[in-house]
């Protein structure tokens, strides 16, 4: 959990959009190639701001490369 997430009961929530914080898993990337084309494994899927922060922390500016 990062500073941009918080716990709400049993869920980890996104501090940007207040939705459940979900990331692309390896299993989902394998099952849904379209997601893999746009996102990297581990990248947040809940909102663009969370994804942009994740990419910035890794020195990336756009979607999947």
């Amino acid at each position: 959990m990062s500073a941009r997430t918080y716990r709400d009961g049993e869920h980890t929530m996104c501090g940007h959009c207040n939705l459940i914080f979900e990331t692309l898993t390896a299993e989902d990337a394998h099952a849904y190639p379209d997601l893999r084309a746009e996102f990297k494994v581990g990248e947040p899927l809940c909102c663009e701001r969370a994804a942009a922060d994740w990419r910035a922390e890794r020195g990336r500016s756009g979607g999947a490369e």
Side-chain angles (χ1 to χ4, degrees):
M1 204 160 56
S2 76
R4 294 178 191 89
T5 60
Y6 63 93
R7 295 289 297 173
D8 183 19
E10 63 186 61
H11 299 288
T12 300
M13 309 298 289
C14 176
H16 296 300
C17 64
N18 296 313
L19 296 174
I20 295 174
F21 185 80
E22 296 183 275
T23 60
L24 181 64
T25 65
E27 294 81 18
D28 288 341
H30 181 71
Y32 303 100
D34 291 346
L35 283 177
R36 187 175 57 229
E38 188 174 348
F39 300 97
K40 292 283 191 181
V41 171
E43 188 168 350
L45 300 173
C46 54
C47 70
E48 179 56 35
R49 189 162 175 203
D53 285 349
W54 184 89
R55 290 188 300 264
E57 289 170 359
R58 286 152 184 80
R60 297 185 182 127
S61 59
E65 299 164 348

